[in-house]
């Protein structure tokens, strides 16, 4: 059977049900891999080429128990509503509502985000606040690492991607980040900025690329692990 990039199919091909596999072709991938997309609630099968997808699917189906277990314990959605406690740069902050149409703002020495609005309008204002905070922090850290490497400025955009925390397009000098990383501790945010800026030097994930990341922030492994371990919880916020 021929598989294609972006295709979705059941993990159990005989039952035709259960967890979903999403097929992904990444030319920069150095091997077949399977990862959990906690936000989408599915497993992502990655291969360097479409020709390699068949082997990747077969590999994923040998990991059926592991995939089912990981999906079963993924974080549940947490709406952005008054009384909720979320994180901002790794510190807990409580969401509060205030009468009127005020925009979300940080108060009480950074322990509270207070906003007007009700229901979806309230949630939208909180999310917009987090996006503004993410833009400010990520632009600051991006510019810092650009200066360290002697690189020219880039265009930074903030999005809400399904799984990737960031992406870099060296040819048009643009970097895109997920705003959700602003909830992570500062060293994790800094790692993400260094990760994307380093792609301006090396577009792959070769040893030379990781050497640039290490030049920027030192040992990056703890922060990569933090995102793997806690990223699902960040993606659950506001769902």
């Amino acid at each position: 059977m021929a598989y294609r990039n972006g295709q979705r199919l059941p993990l159990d091909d005989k039952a035709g049900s259960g967890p979903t596999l999403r097929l992904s072709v990444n030319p920069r991938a150095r091997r077949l891999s399977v990862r959990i997309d906690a936000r989408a609630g599915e497993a992502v099968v990655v291969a360097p080429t479409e020709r390699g997808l068949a082997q990747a699917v077969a590999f994923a189906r040998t990991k059926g128990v592991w995939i089912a277990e990981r999906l079963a314990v993924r974080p549940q959605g947490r709406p952005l509503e008054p009384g909720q406690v979320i994180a901002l740069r790794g510190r807990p902050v409580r969401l509060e509502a205030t009468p009127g149409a005020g925009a979300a703002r940080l108060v009480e020495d950074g322990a509270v985000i207070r906003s007007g609005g009700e229901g979806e309008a309230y949630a939208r204002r909180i999310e917009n606040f987090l996006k503004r905070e993410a833009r400010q922090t990520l632009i600051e850290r991006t510019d810092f690492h650009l200066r360290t490497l002697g690189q020219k400025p880039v265009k930074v955009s903030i999005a809400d991607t399904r799984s990737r925390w960031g992406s870099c397009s060296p040819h048009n000098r643009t970097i895109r980040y997920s705003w959700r990383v602003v909830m992570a501790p500062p060293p994790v945010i800094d790692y993400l900025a260094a990760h994307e800026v380093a792609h301006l030097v090396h577009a792959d994930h070769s040893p030379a690329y990781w050497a640039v990341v290490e030049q920027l922030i030192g040992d990056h492994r703890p922060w990569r692990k933090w995102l793997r371990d806690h990223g699902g919880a960040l993606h659950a916020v506001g769902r």
Side-chain angles (χ1 to χ4, degrees), residues 7-8 20-24 35 37 42-45 163:
Q7 182 180 358
R8 284 177 168 82
T20 300
L21 297 177
R22 184 173 84 240
L23 310 189
S24 175
R35 62 178 174 81
D37 184 341
E42 58 190 10
V44 182
V45 181
S163 57

Side-chain angles (χ1 to χ4, degrees), residues 58-238:
F59 171 69
R61 284 176 169 156
T62 69
K63 300 284 187 180
V65 173
W66 176 83
I67 290 171
E69 290 176 346
R70 290 292 303 275
L71 288 173
V73 299
R74 74 185 189 276
Q76 299 301 306
R78 296 182 293 153
L80 292 168
E81 58 187 10
Q84 168 90 331
V85 175
I86 63 172
L88 178 62
R89 300 182 186 91
R91 296 180 56 191
V93 293
R94 188 176 70 257
L95 305 184
E96 291 185 357
T98 186
R105 63 191 187 280
L106 202 59
V107 297
E108 297 186 17
D109 294 327
V112 172
I113 300 175
R114 190 171 293 153
S115 176
E118 297 180 1
E120 291 185 5
Y122 177 86
R124 185 165 56 251
R125 291 176 185 182
I126 297 295
E127 183 173 318
N128 287 340
F129 169 82
L130 294 173
K131 288 178 178 178
R132 292 193 299 271
E133 292 292 307
R135 176 180 293 278
Q136 174 186 328
T137 300
L138 287 163
I139 286 178
E140 175 186 315
R141 299 316 302 163
T142 299
D143 287 346
F144 178 86
H145 294 309
L146 288 171
R147 291 193 298 270
T148 299
L149 295 178
Q151 288 281 332
K152 296 179 180 179
V154 299
K155 179 181 178 181
V156 172
S157 63
I158 303 298
D160 191 4
T161 52
R162 290 178 60 88
S163 57
R164 299 178 69 181
W165 291 105
S167 60
C168 175
S169 298
H171 65 284
N172 58 12
R173 301 193 66 79
T174 62
I175 293 178
R176 187 184 189 201
Y177 296 109
S178 167
W179 65 264
R180 294 174 176 276
V181 78
V182 79
M183 294 183 278
V188 177
I189 301 173
D190 197 38
Y191 157 69
L192 179 62
H195 183 113
E196 300 309 331
V197 168
H199 277 310
L200 295 169
V201 181
H202 297 284
D204 54 17
H205 286 99
S206 64
Y209 162 80
W210 288 113
V212 175
V213 177
E214 187 169 352
Q215 173 190 343
L216 293 173
I217 62 168
D219 187 1
H220 50 80
R221 291 171 296 181
W223 318 127
R224 292 175 65 194
K225 184 177 185 303
W226 193 98
L227 279 177
R228 288 196 302 269
D229 293 345
H230 302 281
L234 303 191
H235 280 301
V237 173

